[in-house]
DNA sequence: TGTCGTCCGATTGTTGACAATATTAGGGTA
DNA sequence: TACCCTAATATTGTCAACAATCGGACGACA
Protein backbone atom coordinates (compact mmCIF):
# COMPACT_ATOMS: atom_id res chain seq x y z
CA UNK A 1 0.00 0.00 0.00
CA UNK A 2 1.92 3.01 -1.24
CA UNK A 3 1.41 6.24 0.56
CA UNK A 4 -1.30 8.32 -1.00
CA UNK A 5 0.90 11.28 -1.56
CA UNK A 6 4.49 10.60 -0.83
CA UNK A 7 6.28 13.79 -0.04
CA UNK A 8 9.36 11.76 0.47
CA UNK A 9 12.31 12.51 -1.69
CA UNK A 10 11.91 16.23 -1.47
CA UNK A 11 14.63 18.13 0.23
CA UNK A 12 13.75 20.13 3.24
CA UNK A 13 10.95 18.88 5.43
CA UNK A 14 9.78 21.50 7.81
CA UNK A 15 8.17 21.02 11.19
CA UNK A 16 4.85 22.20 9.87
CA UNK A 17 5.08 19.55 7.15
CA UNK A 18 5.46 16.76 9.63
CA UNK A 19 2.80 17.91 12.04
CA UNK A 20 0.46 18.44 9.10
CA UNK A 21 0.96 14.92 7.81
CA UNK A 22 0.51 13.59 11.28
CA UNK A 23 -2.62 15.55 12.08
CA UNK A 24 -4.13 14.62 8.76
CA UNK A 25 -3.60 10.96 9.42
CA UNK A 26 -4.98 11.30 12.94
CA UNK A 27 -8.09 13.01 11.63
CA UNK A 28 -8.65 10.74 8.66
CA UNK A 29 -8.27 7.58 10.69
CA UNK A 30 -10.61 8.80 13.38
CA UNK A 31 -8.05 9.15 16.11
CA UNK A 32 -9.29 12.70 16.47
CA UNK A 33 -13.05 12.29 16.11
CA UNK A 34 -15.32 14.41 13.96
CA UNK A 35 -16.38 17.67 15.46
CA UNK A 36 -13.49 17.80 17.89
CA UNK A 37 -12.26 21.24 18.76
CA UNK A 38 -8.65 21.72 17.76
CA UNK A 39 -6.99 23.42 20.71
CA UNK A 40 -3.77 25.07 19.67
CA UNK A 41 -2.07 25.19 23.09
CA UNK A 42 -3.06 21.61 23.81
CA UNK A 43 -1.79 20.15 20.57
CA UNK A 44 1.31 22.30 20.67
CA UNK A 45 2.31 20.95 24.04
CA UNK A 46 1.38 17.42 23.02
CA UNK A 47 3.62 17.52 19.99
CA UNK A 48 6.22 19.50 21.83
CA UNK A 49 6.31 22.33 19.32
CA UNK A 50 5.35 25.97 19.24
CA UNK A 51 2.05 27.34 18.04
CA UNK A 52 3.58 28.81 14.89
CA UNK A 53 4.10 25.71 12.77
CA UNK A 54 1.01 24.19 14.31
CA UNK A 55 -1.12 27.01 13.02
CA UNK A 56 0.51 26.54 9.65
CA UNK A 57 -0.47 22.88 9.69
CA UNK A 58 -4.02 23.70 10.73
CA UNK A 59 -4.21 26.14 7.86
CA UNK A 60 -3.31 23.38 5.44
CA UNK A 61 -5.85 21.07 7.01
CA UNK A 62 -8.41 23.76 6.40
CA UNK A 63 -7.31 24.05 2.80
CA UNK A 64 -8.12 20.40 2.18
CA UNK A 65 -11.38 20.71 4.06
CA UNK A 66 -10.50 18.45 6.94
CA UNK A 67 -11.07 21.16 9.53
CA UNK A 68 -13.25 24.24 9.57
CA UNK A 69 -12.02 27.45 11.07
CA UNK A 70 -13.74 30.51 12.38
CA UNK A 71 -11.80 33.65 13.20
CA UNK A 72 -11.19 34.20 16.88
CA UNK A 73 -12.99 31.00 17.68
CA UNK A 74 -10.87 28.14 16.47
CA UNK A 75 -10.83 25.08 14.29
CA UNK A 76 -12.95 21.97 14.50
CA UNK A 77 -12.61 18.69 12.70
CA UNK A 78 -15.27 18.63 10.01
CA UNK A 79 -18.54 16.92 10.73
CA UNK A 80 -19.25 14.61 7.87
CA UNK A 81 -22.77 14.88 6.61
CA UNK A 82 -24.68 12.65 4.31
CA UNK A 83 -25.17 15.44 1.82
CA UNK A 84 -21.49 16.17 1.73
CA UNK A 85 -20.65 12.56 1.03
CA UNK A 86 -23.12 12.41 -1.84
CA UNK A 87 -21.68 15.60 -3.27
CA UNK A 88 -18.27 14.03 -3.02
CA UNK A 89 -19.44 11.04 -5.02
CA UNK A 90 -20.90 13.27 -7.69
CA UNK A 91 -17.59 15.06 -8.00
CA UNK A 92 -15.71 11.80 -8.14
CA UNK A 93 -18.01 10.57 -10.87
CA UNK A 94 -17.10 13.51 -13.06
CA UNK A 95 -13.42 13.67 -12.18
CA UNK A 96 -12.55 10.01 -12.15
CA UNK A 97 -14.57 9.42 -15.27
CA UNK A 98 -12.31 11.99 -16.86
CA UNK A 99 -9.27 10.31 -15.32
CA UNK A 100 -10.25 6.93 -16.74
CA UNK A 101 -10.70 8.44 -20.17
CA UNK A 102 -7.31 10.11 -20.07
CA UNK A 103 -5.72 6.96 -18.70
CA UNK A 104 -7.10 4.96 -21.61
CA UNK A 105 -5.52 7.46 -23.94
CA UNK A 106 -2.15 7.85 -22.32
CA UNK A 107 -1.35 4.96 -20.03
CA UNK A 108 1.73 2.98 -21.00
CA UNK A 109 1.52 -0.73 -21.70
CA UNK A 110 3.78 -1.45 -18.82
CA UNK A 111 1.61 0.47 -16.39
CA UNK A 112 -1.42 -1.42 -17.63
CA UNK A 113 0.35 -4.66 -16.84
CA UNK A 114 1.11 -3.31 -13.39
CA UNK A 115 -2.54 -2.50 -12.95
CA UNK A 116 -3.47 -6.03 -13.93
CA UNK A 117 -1.01 -7.39 -11.44
CA UNK A 118 -2.53 -5.24 -8.74
CA UNK A 119 -5.97 -6.61 -9.45
CA UNK A 120 -4.61 -10.13 -9.31
CA UNK A 121 -3.17 -9.44 -5.89
CA UNK A 122 -6.49 -8.05 -4.81
CA UNK A 123 -8.22 -11.15 -6.08
CA UNK A 124 -6.04 -13.45 -4.07
CA UNK A 125 -6.47 -11.39 -0.99
CA UNK A 126 -10.16 -10.99 -1.59
CA UNK A 127 -10.61 -14.72 -2.05
CA UNK A 128 -8.64 -15.34 1.07
CA UNK A 129 -10.82 -13.04 3.09
CA UNK A 130 -13.99 -13.97 1.23
CA UNK A 131 -14.48 -10.56 -0.18
CA UNK A 132 -15.25 -8.84 3.04
CA UNK A 133 -12.17 -6.74 3.29
CA UNK A 134 -11.73 -5.26 -0.14
CA UNK A 135 -12.75 -1.83 0.96
CA UNK A 136 -11.31 -1.94 4.43
CA UNK A 137 -7.82 -2.71 3.24
CA UNK A 138 -8.08 0.18 0.84
CA UNK A 139 -7.37 -1.98 -2.15
CA UNK A 140 -10.24 -0.12 -3.73
CA UNK A 141 -8.74 3.31 -3.19
CA UNK A 142 -5.39 1.98 -4.33
CA UNK A 143 -6.87 0.96 -7.65
CA UNK A 144 -8.58 4.27 -8.21
CA UNK A 145 -5.45 6.05 -7.15
CA UNK A 146 -3.42 4.43 -9.88
CA UNK A 147 -5.84 5.33 -12.60
CA UNK A 148 -5.93 8.90 -11.43
CA UNK A 149 -2.17 9.12 -11.55
CA UNK A 150 -2.19 7.53 -14.99
CA UNK A 151 -4.33 10.36 -16.28
CA UNK A 152 -1.25 12.54 -16.43
CA UNK A 153 -3.28 15.65 -15.63
CA UNK A 154 -1.28 17.23 -12.84
CA UNK A 155 -4.05 19.41 -11.57
CA UNK A 156 -6.54 16.58 -11.56
CA UNK A 157 -4.09 14.36 -9.70
CA UNK A 158 -3.41 16.96 -7.06
CA UNK A 159 -7.06 17.67 -6.58
CA UNK A 160 -8.12 14.08 -6.15
CA UNK A 161 -5.13 12.68 -4.30
CA UNK A 162 -4.31 15.59 -2.04
CA UNK A 163 -7.80 16.66 -1.10
CA UNK A 164 -10.77 14.51 -1.99
CA UNK A 165 -9.26 11.13 -1.30
CA UNK A 166 -8.33 11.91 2.25
CA UNK A 167 -11.92 12.88 2.79
CA UNK A 168 -13.08 9.64 1.24
CA UNK A 169 -10.78 7.70 3.52
CA UNK A 170 -12.15 9.62 6.47
CA UNK A 171 -15.68 8.63 5.57
CA UNK A 172 -14.65 5.00 5.27
CA UNK A 173 -13.00 5.01 8.63
CA UNK A 174 -16.09 6.50 10.19
CA UNK A 175 -18.86 4.57 8.52
CA UNK A 176 -17.08 1.48 7.36
CA UNK A 177 -17.92 0.16 3.94
CA UNK A 178 -20.71 -2.05 2.77
CA UNK A 179 -18.98 -5.29 1.97
CA UNK A 180 -21.93 -6.46 -0.07
CA UNK A 181 -20.60 -4.48 -3.00
CA UNK A 182 -17.02 -5.66 -2.68
CA UNK A 183 -17.21 -8.47 -5.19
CA UNK A 184 -19.19 -6.42 -7.65
CA UNK A 185 -16.78 -3.53 -7.34
CA UNK A 186 -13.87 -5.82 -7.93
CA UNK A 187 -15.40 -7.10 -11.15
CA UNK A 188 -16.09 -3.56 -12.30
CA UNK A 189 -12.46 -2.74 -11.73
CA UNK A 190 -11.63 -5.56 -14.08
CA UNK A 191 -13.91 -4.12 -16.76
CA UNK A 192 -12.27 -0.73 -16.39
CA UNK A 193 -8.83 -2.20 -16.90
CA UNK A 194 -10.07 -4.03 -19.96
CA UNK A 195 -11.42 -0.83 -21.46
CA UNK A 196 -8.14 0.91 -20.79
CA UNK A 197 -6.18 -1.97 -22.29
CA UNK A 198 -8.43 -1.79 -25.34
CA UNK A 199 -7.58 1.89 -25.65
CA UNK A 200 -11.26 2.72 -25.51
CA UNK A 201 -11.46 6.05 -23.66
CA UNK A 202 -15.20 6.50 -23.95
CA UNK A 203 -15.86 3.04 -22.61
CA UNK A 204 -13.39 3.51 -19.79
CA UNK A 205 -15.10 6.73 -18.75
CA UNK A 206 -18.52 5.17 -19.04
CA UNK A 207 -17.68 2.21 -16.85
CA UNK A 208 -15.84 4.29 -14.31
CA UNK A 209 -18.75 6.67 -13.99
CA UNK A 210 -21.20 3.83 -13.61
CA UNK A 211 -18.90 2.22 -11.09
CA UNK A 212 -18.81 5.28 -8.88
CA UNK A 213 -22.48 5.97 -9.38
CA UNK A 214 -23.29 2.48 -8.15
CA UNK A 215 -21.19 3.08 -5.08
CA UNK A 216 -23.01 6.31 -4.43
CA UNK A 217 -26.43 4.76 -4.75
CA UNK A 218 -25.35 1.98 -2.47
CA UNK A 219 -24.31 4.53 0.10
CA UNK A 220 -27.59 6.38 -0.32
CA UNK A 221 -29.56 3.24 0.38
CA UNK A 222 -27.37 2.51 3.36
CA UNK A 223 -28.04 5.94 4.76
CA UNK A 224 -31.75 5.74 4.13
CA UNK A 225 -32.22 2.55 6.04
CA UNK A 226 -29.94 3.48 8.87
CA UNK A 227 -31.02 7.04 9.45
CA UNK A 228 -34.26 8.02 7.70
CA UNK A 229 -33.61 11.71 8.12
CA UNK A 230 -30.38 13.36 7.08
CA UNK A 231 -28.67 12.84 10.38
CA UNK A 232 -25.16 13.80 11.27
CA UNK A 233 -22.47 11.24 11.42
CA UNK A 234 -21.98 9.61 14.75
CA UNK A 235 -18.55 8.09 14.96
CA UNK A 236 -18.56 4.30 14.88
CA UNK A 237 -14.89 3.59 15.32
CA UNK A 238 -13.19 4.75 18.44
CA UNK A 239 -9.84 6.29 18.81
CA UNK A 240 -7.26 3.73 19.76
CA UNK A 241 -4.88 6.14 21.40
CA UNK A 242 -6.91 9.19 22.21
CA UNK A 243 -7.06 8.59 25.91
CA UNK A 244 -3.38 8.39 26.60
CA UNK A 245 -3.36 11.67 28.41
CA UNK A 246 -0.01 13.37 28.47
CA UNK A 247 3.40 12.26 27.37
CA UNK A 248 2.08 10.86 24.10
CA UNK A 249 3.15 11.53 20.57
CA UNK A 250 6.56 10.22 19.54
CA UNK A 251 8.92 12.99 18.48
CA UNK A 252 8.44 14.50 15.06
CA UNK B 1 -19.70 42.57 -11.36
CA UNK B 2 -20.18 40.88 -8.02
CA UNK B 3 -17.12 39.74 -6.18
CA UNK B 4 -16.22 36.19 -7.01
CA UNK B 5 -16.24 35.08 -3.45
CA UNK B 6 -17.49 37.66 -1.11
CA UNK B 7 -16.24 37.05 2.36
CA UNK B 8 -18.15 40.08 3.42
CA UNK B 9 -20.85 39.63 5.92
CA UNK B 10 -18.91 37.26 8.08
CA UNK B 11 -18.03 38.42 11.48
CA UNK B 12 -14.39 38.56 12.31
CA UNK B 13 -12.04 39.45 9.52
CA UNK B 14 -8.48 38.82 10.48
CA UNK B 15 -5.41 40.57 9.19
CA UNK B 16 -4.35 37.47 7.32
CA UNK B 17 -7.73 37.45 5.58
CA UNK B 18 -7.30 40.95 4.26
CA UNK B 19 -3.71 40.56 3.15
CA UNK B 20 -4.64 37.27 1.49
CA UNK B 21 -7.47 38.83 -0.48
CA UNK B 22 -5.24 41.69 -1.42
CA UNK B 23 -2.30 39.58 -2.50
CA UNK B 24 -4.57 37.32 -4.49
CA UNK B 25 -5.97 40.25 -6.38
CA UNK B 26 -2.51 41.66 -6.98
CA UNK B 27 -1.31 38.34 -8.34
CA UNK B 28 -4.36 37.59 -10.44
CA UNK B 29 -4.42 41.01 -12.02
CA UNK B 30 -0.74 40.89 -12.82
CA UNK B 31 0.34 43.62 -10.46
CA UNK B 32 2.79 41.09 -9.10
CA UNK B 33 4.05 39.39 -12.26
CA UNK B 34 4.41 35.68 -12.81
CA UNK B 35 7.56 34.15 -11.41
CA UNK B 36 8.15 36.95 -8.94
CA UNK B 37 9.81 35.95 -5.74
CA UNK B 38 7.63 36.66 -2.73
CA UNK B 39 9.89 38.26 -0.17
CA UNK B 40 8.40 38.06 3.26
CA UNK B 41 10.27 40.94 4.90
CA UNK B 42 9.66 43.16 1.91
CA UNK B 43 5.92 42.55 1.71
CA UNK B 44 5.57 42.71 5.46
CA UNK B 45 7.06 46.16 5.60
CA UNK B 46 5.10 47.26 2.56
CA UNK B 47 1.80 46.26 4.11
CA UNK B 48 2.92 47.41 7.51
CA UNK B 49 2.27 44.10 9.20
CA UNK B 50 4.29 41.36 10.79
CA UNK B 51 5.51 38.26 9.06
CA UNK B 52 3.08 36.05 10.94
CA UNK B 53 -0.20 36.81 9.20
CA UNK B 54 1.71 37.33 5.97
CA UNK B 55 2.99 33.78 6.07
CA UNK B 56 -0.55 32.64 6.76
CA UNK B 57 -1.74 34.50 3.67
CA UNK B 58 1.04 33.04 1.55
CA UNK B 59 0.06 29.60 2.75
CA UNK B 60 -3.46 30.17 1.51
CA UNK B 61 -2.16 31.43 -1.80
CA UNK B 62 -0.22 28.22 -2.08
CA UNK B 63 -3.36 26.24 -1.31
CA UNK B 64 -5.12 27.72 -4.32
CA UNK B 65 -2.07 27.24 -6.48
CA UNK B 66 -1.30 30.90 -7.03
CA UNK B 67 2.18 30.64 -5.55
CA UNK B 68 4.63 27.77 -5.23
CA UNK B 69 6.66 27.31 -2.14
CA UNK B 70 9.86 25.48 -1.39
CA UNK B 71 11.00 24.95 2.18
CA UNK B 72 13.78 27.25 3.28
CA UNK B 73 13.78 28.93 -0.10
CA UNK B 74 10.58 30.88 -0.40
CA UNK B 75 7.49 31.37 -2.49
CA UNK B 76 7.20 32.46 -6.11
CA UNK B 77 4.17 33.49 -8.08
CA UNK B 78 3.31 30.56 -10.33
CA UNK B 79 4.57 30.57 -13.88
CA UNK B 80 1.65 29.84 -16.11
CA UNK B 81 2.41 27.24 -18.71
CA UNK B 82 0.50 26.28 -21.78
CA UNK B 83 0.06 22.71 -20.53
CA UNK B 84 -1.34 23.93 -17.26
CA UNK B 85 -3.90 26.08 -19.00
CA UNK B 86 -5.04 23.20 -21.18
CA UNK B 87 -5.32 20.98 -18.13
CA UNK B 88 -7.40 23.65 -16.53
CA UNK B 89 -9.76 23.70 -19.49
CA UNK B 90 -10.13 19.92 -19.36
CA UNK B 91 -11.05 20.16 -15.71
CA UNK B 92 -13.51 22.92 -16.37
CA UNK B 93 -15.12 20.88 -19.11
CA UNK B 94 -15.84 18.07 -16.69
CA UNK B 95 -16.78 20.23 -13.72
CA UNK B 96 -18.83 22.91 -15.41
CA UNK B 97 -20.55 20.32 -17.53
CA UNK B 98 -21.64 18.78 -14.28
CA UNK B 99 -22.61 22.19 -12.93
CA UNK B 100 -24.79 22.90 -15.95
CA UNK B 101 -26.53 19.55 -15.58
CA UNK B 102 -27.23 20.15 -11.91
CA UNK B 103 -28.34 23.70 -12.62
CA UNK B 104 -30.85 22.44 -15.17
CA UNK B 105 -32.22 20.10 -12.52
CA UNK B 106 -32.34 22.45 -9.58
CA UNK B 107 -32.28 26.07 -10.67
CA UNK B 108 -35.31 28.06 -9.65
CA UNK B 109 -37.42 29.78 -12.25
CA UNK B 110 -36.63 33.12 -10.75
CA UNK B 111 -32.90 32.52 -11.01
CA UNK B 112 -33.32 31.50 -14.63
CA UNK B 113 -35.00 34.81 -15.30
CA UNK B 114 -32.11 36.56 -13.59
CA UNK B 115 -29.74 34.67 -15.83
CA UNK B 116 -31.68 35.79 -18.91
CA UNK B 117 -31.51 39.34 -17.69
CA UNK B 118 -27.77 39.05 -17.28
CA UNK B 119 -27.38 37.86 -20.83
CA UNK B 120 -29.50 40.75 -22.05
CA UNK B 121 -27.23 43.17 -20.27
CA UNK B 122 -24.25 41.50 -21.82
CA UNK B 123 -25.83 41.79 -25.21
CA UNK B 124 -26.34 45.50 -24.89
CA UNK B 125 -22.85 46.02 -23.68
CA UNK B 126 -21.46 43.67 -26.29
CA UNK B 127 -23.27 45.47 -29.07
CA UNK B 128 -22.05 48.75 -27.73
CA UNK B 129 -18.45 47.68 -27.79
CA UNK B 130 -18.84 45.58 -30.92
CA UNK B 131 -18.20 42.31 -29.23
CA UNK B 132 -14.60 42.93 -28.46
CA UNK B 133 -14.88 43.26 -24.73
CA UNK B 134 -17.02 40.34 -23.68
CA UNK B 135 -14.13 38.51 -22.14
CA UNK B 136 -12.20 41.48 -20.89
CA UNK B 137 -15.06 42.79 -18.81
CA UNK B 138 -15.44 39.35 -17.36
CA UNK B 139 -19.02 39.04 -18.38
CA UNK B 140 -18.08 35.59 -19.53
CA UNK B 141 -16.77 34.51 -16.14
CA UNK B 142 -19.76 36.13 -14.52
CA UNK B 143 -22.11 33.95 -16.53
CA UNK B 144 -20.24 30.77 -15.77
CA UNK B 145 -20.06 31.78 -12.16
CA UNK B 146 -23.82 31.96 -11.84
CA UNK B 147 -24.37 28.54 -13.31
CA UNK B 148 -21.79 27.06 -10.99
CA UNK B 149 -23.51 28.56 -8.00
CA UNK B 150 -26.84 27.33 -9.30
CA UNK B 151 -25.59 23.77 -9.19
CA UNK B 152 -26.08 23.75 -5.47
CA UNK B 153 -23.14 21.42 -4.95
CA UNK B 154 -21.20 23.16 -2.21
CA UNK B 155 -17.97 21.35 -2.84
CA UNK B 156 -18.13 21.97 -6.55
CA UNK B 157 -18.84 25.65 -5.97
CA UNK B 158 -15.93 26.06 -3.59
CA UNK B 159 -13.58 24.25 -5.89
CA UNK B 160 -14.41 26.25 -8.97
CA UNK B 161 -14.99 29.67 -7.46
CA UNK B 162 -12.31 29.70 -4.78
CA UNK B 163 -9.51 28.05 -6.71
CA UNK B 164 -9.81 27.44 -10.41
CA UNK B 165 -11.52 30.65 -11.36
CA UNK B 166 -8.86 32.89 -9.91
CA UNK B 167 -6.36 30.99 -11.99
CA UNK B 168 -8.51 31.47 -15.08
CA UNK B 169 -8.68 35.17 -14.40
CA UNK B 170 -4.94 35.26 -13.98
CA UNK B 171 -4.47 33.68 -17.39
CA UNK B 172 -6.83 36.19 -18.95
CA UNK B 173 -5.01 39.11 -17.43
CA UNK B 174 -1.72 37.76 -18.74
CA UNK B 175 -2.64 36.62 -22.20
CA UNK B 176 -5.74 38.57 -22.90
CA UNK B 177 -8.60 36.80 -24.61
CA UNK B 178 -9.27 36.11 -28.22
CA UNK B 179 -12.10 38.45 -29.06
CA UNK B 180 -12.86 36.50 -32.20
CA UNK B 181 -14.78 34.00 -30.17
CA UNK B 182 -16.69 36.56 -28.14
CA UNK B 183 -19.81 36.63 -30.28
CA UNK B 184 -19.85 32.86 -30.66
CA UNK B 185 -19.39 32.38 -26.97
CA UNK B 186 -22.21 34.76 -26.25
CA UNK B 187 -24.55 32.78 -28.49
CA UNK B 188 -23.50 29.54 -26.82
CA UNK B 189 -24.36 31.06 -23.49
CA UNK B 190 -27.82 31.66 -24.84
CA UNK B 191 -28.17 28.02 -25.84
CA UNK B 192 -27.09 26.91 -22.40
CA UNK B 193 -29.72 29.07 -20.75
CA UNK B 194 -32.33 27.66 -23.08
CA UNK B 195 -31.39 24.12 -22.17
CA UNK B 196 -31.60 24.98 -18.51
CA UNK B 197 -34.94 26.68 -18.97
CA UNK B 198 -36.16 23.56 -20.78
CA UNK B 199 -35.10 21.50 -17.78
CA UNK B 200 -32.95 19.40 -20.05
CA UNK B 201 -29.92 18.45 -17.94
CA UNK B 202 -28.24 16.27 -20.52
CA UNK B 203 -28.48 18.95 -23.15
CA UNK B 204 -27.24 21.61 -20.76
CA UNK B 205 -24.20 19.53 -19.91
CA UNK B 206 -23.57 18.71 -23.54
CA UNK B 207 -23.64 22.33 -24.66
CA UNK B 208 -21.59 23.54 -21.72
CA UNK B 209 -18.94 20.94 -22.39
CA UNK B 210 -18.82 21.80 -26.05
CA UNK B 211 -18.68 25.47 -25.16
CA UNK B 212 -15.64 25.04 -22.97
CA UNK B 213 -14.01 22.62 -25.37
CA UNK B 214 -14.31 25.18 -28.15
CA UNK B 215 -12.64 27.74 -25.94
CA UNK B 216 -9.84 25.34 -25.20
CA UNK B 217 -9.23 24.51 -28.82
CA UNK B 218 -9.27 28.19 -29.63
CA UNK B 219 -6.59 28.76 -27.01
CA UNK B 220 -4.59 25.85 -28.36
CA UNK B 221 -4.57 27.32 -31.83
CA UNK B 222 -3.63 30.69 -30.42
CA UNK B 223 -0.68 29.17 -28.62
CA UNK B 224 0.43 27.16 -31.61
CA UNK B 225 0.67 30.13 -33.89
CA UNK B 226 2.21 32.43 -31.36
CA UNK B 227 4.80 30.11 -29.85
CA UNK B 228 5.36 26.90 -31.81
CA UNK B 229 7.03 25.16 -28.89
CA UNK B 230 5.53 24.97 -25.42
CA UNK B 231 7.04 28.19 -24.22
CA UNK B 232 6.56 29.77 -20.84
CA UNK B 233 4.31 32.68 -20.43
CA UNK B 234 5.94 36.03 -20.84
CA UNK B 235 3.88 38.68 -19.17
CA UNK B 236 2.13 40.98 -21.58
CA UNK B 237 0.48 43.41 -19.22
CA UNK B 238 2.62 45.42 -16.96
CA UNK B 239 2.01 46.30 -13.40
CA UNK B 240 0.37 49.67 -13.08
CA UNK B 241 1.52 50.39 -9.60
CA UNK B 242 4.45 48.10 -9.03
CA UNK B 243 7.06 50.80 -9.25
CA UNK B 244 5.77 53.02 -6.53
CA UNK B 245 8.70 52.23 -4.30
CA UNK B 246 8.03 52.73 -0.65
CA UNK B 247 5.10 54.22 1.18
CA UNK B 248 2.62 52.33 -0.94
CA UNK B 249 -0.26 50.12 -0.02
CA UNK B 250 -3.21 51.82 1.64
CA UNK B 251 -3.85 50.48 5.13
CA UNK B 252 -5.56 47.12 5.49
C1' DT C 1 40.72 28.60 -17.06
C1' DG C 2 37.44 25.79 -14.97
C1' DT C 3 35.90 23.48 -10.87
C1' DC C 4 35.51 22.70 -6.15
C1' DG C 5 35.28 24.10 -1.32
C1' DT C 6 34.44 27.60 2.14
C1' DC C 7 32.55 31.62 4.03
C1' DC C 8 29.25 35.26 4.43
C1' DG C 9 24.88 37.47 3.90
C1' DA C 10 20.09 37.10 3.60
C1' DT C 11 15.86 34.73 3.97
C1' DT C 12 13.03 31.41 6.00
C1' DG C 13 11.43 28.49 9.98
C1' DT C 14 10.58 28.62 14.85
C1' DT C 15 9.86 30.40 19.37
C1' DG C 16 7.80 32.88 23.27
C1' DA C 17 5.43 36.99 24.78
C1' DC C 18 1.71 40.51 24.06
C1' DA C 19 -2.93 42.16 22.55
C1' DA C 20 -7.61 41.38 21.10
C1' DT C 21 -11.64 38.66 20.93
C1' DA C 22 -15.08 35.11 22.22
C1' DT C 23 -16.92 31.98 25.69
C1' DT C 24 -18.49 31.09 30.25
C1' DA C 25 -19.62 31.78 34.98
C1' DG C 26 -21.73 34.67 38.21
C1' DG C 27 -24.76 38.10 40.07
C1' DG C 28 -28.48 41.26 39.71
C1' DT C 29 -33.14 42.39 38.32
C1' DA C 30 -37.87 41.82 36.41
C1' DT D 1 -37.41 31.35 38.10
C1' DA D 2 -35.91 33.18 33.89
C1' DC D 3 -33.41 36.64 31.53
C1' DC D 4 -29.86 40.00 30.86
C1' DC D 5 -25.79 42.28 31.89
C1' DT D 6 -21.03 42.21 33.61
C1' DA D 7 -16.59 40.44 34.56
C1' DA D 8 -13.15 36.82 34.55
C1' DT D 9 -10.84 33.39 31.87
C1' DA D 10 -9.10 31.09 28.19
C1' DT D 11 -8.16 30.95 23.39
C1' DT D 12 -6.88 33.00 19.19
C1' DG D 13 -4.44 36.66 16.39
C1' DT D 14 -0.29 39.36 16.11
C1' DC D 15 4.28 40.81 16.97
C1' DA D 16 9.32 40.93 17.42
C1' DA D 17 13.52 38.25 18.28
C1' DC D 18 16.30 33.85 17.72
C1' DA D 19 17.98 29.77 15.16
C1' DA D 20 18.54 27.05 10.98
C1' DT D 21 19.06 26.74 6.23
C1' DC D 22 19.97 28.20 1.47
C1' DG D 23 22.17 30.98 -2.39
C1' DG D 24 25.92 33.39 -4.02
C1' DA D 25 30.67 35.40 -3.80
C1' DC D 26 35.29 34.80 -3.08
C1' DG D 27 39.40 32.34 -3.32
C1' DA D 28 42.27 27.91 -3.68
C1' DC D 29 43.65 24.22 -6.48
C1' DA D 30 44.03 21.06 -10.53
Amino acid sequence: MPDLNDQLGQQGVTLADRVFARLRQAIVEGEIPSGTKISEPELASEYGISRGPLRDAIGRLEACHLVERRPNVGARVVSLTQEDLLELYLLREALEGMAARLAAERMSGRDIDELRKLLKQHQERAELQEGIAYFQTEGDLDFHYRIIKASGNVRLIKLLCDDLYHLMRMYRFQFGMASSRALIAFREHGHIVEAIADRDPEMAELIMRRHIRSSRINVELLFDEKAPKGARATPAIRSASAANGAGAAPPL
Side-chain angles (χ1 to χ4, degrees), chain A:
Chain A
M1 183 190 74
D3 271 13
L4 282 190
N5 55 347
D6 43 342
Q7 23 189 342
L8 275 64
Q10 25 185 80
Q11 206 106 9
V13 176
T14 175
L15 246 180
D17 287 331
R18 286 195 284 268
V19 65
F20 165 65
R22 194 135 155 190
L23 270 178
R24 182 175 61 183
Q25 182 179 354
I27 290 175
V28 165
E29 299 184 355
E31 189 180 333
I32 304 177
S34 277
T36 305
K37 170 90 190 299
I38 302 284
S39 168
E40 293 182 5
E42 187 177 331
L43 272 182
S45 76
E46 179 173 354
Y47 287 156
I49 62 173
S50 175
R51 274 180 53 218
L54 180 65
R55 280 176 65 85
D56 190 332
I58 294 177
R60 297 192 216 178
L61 289 174
E62 186 188 20
C64 51
H65 307 282
L66 287 174
V67 306
E68 285 168 347
R69 209 173 203 175
R70 280 192 329 182
N72 292 311
V73 173
R76 313 190 78 87
V77 178
V78 289
S79 290
L80 307 178
T81 69
Q82 177 177 350
E83 295 81 28
D84 203 26
L85 179 57
L86 298 181
E87 286 190 5
L88 213 54
Y89 269 104
L90 283 183
L91 257 189
R92 280 185 64 200
E93 190 177 325
L95 293 174
E96 294 200 42
M98 170 181 162
R101 171 165 43 87
L102 292 175
E105 291 170 358
R106 308 163 59 156
M107 204 169 185
S108 74
R110 201 164 49 75
D111 285 343
I112 295 179
D113 288 340
E114 286 290 324
L115 200 55
R116 283 208 176 96
K117 244 186 269 183
L118 180 73
L119 276 194
K120 211 172 283 282
Q121 290 174 11
H122 287 174
Q123 188 173 25
E124 292 164 3
R125 224 194 311 168
E127 283 175 349
L128 196 68
Q129 309 189 5
E130 291 174 345
I132 57 172
Y134 193 31
F135 290 117
Q136 273 88 1
T137 56
E138 302 195 358
D140 176 57
L141 288 183
D142 198 8
F143 172 81
H144 284 268
Y145 188 66
R146 293 219 189 179
I147 292 188
I148 292 163
K149 273 174 76 175
S151 74
N153 188 311
V154 179
R155 195 160 295 275
L156 178 66
I157 295 171
K158 276 188 194 164
L159 173 58
L160 281 169
C161 298
D162 290 352
D163 295 356
L164 301 190
Y165 259 66
H166 292 287
L167 268 173
M168 283 301 303
R169 296 205 322 134
M170 187 171 170
Y171 272 102
R172 296 197 177 189
F173 268 95
Q174 282 221 1
F175 300 131
M177 255 341 217
S179 56
S180 64
R181 242 187 69 79
L183 196 58
I184 302 174
F186 176 74
R187 285 211 203 94
E188 289 172 346
H189 287 182
H191 297 328
I192 294 172
V193 175
E194 280 177 39
I196 292 178
D198 289 345
R199 302 297 182 190
D200 189 340
E202 292 178 22
M203 183 61 73
E205 171 162 10
L206 187 81
I207 303 178
M208 177 64 89
R209 290 185 80 116
R210 181 182 295 179
H211 172 59
I212 295 176
R213 201 178 316 140
S214 299
S215 273
R216 191 195 73 221
I217 292 172
N218 195 59
V219 168
E220 260 178 64
L221 295 177
L222 198 89
F223 268 121
D224 285 348
E225 69 188 29
K226 272 193 178 174
K229 268 305 170 197
R232 296 246 156 187
T234 101
I237 303 177
R238 257 347 350 91
S239 69
S241 64
N244 55 356
L252 295 167

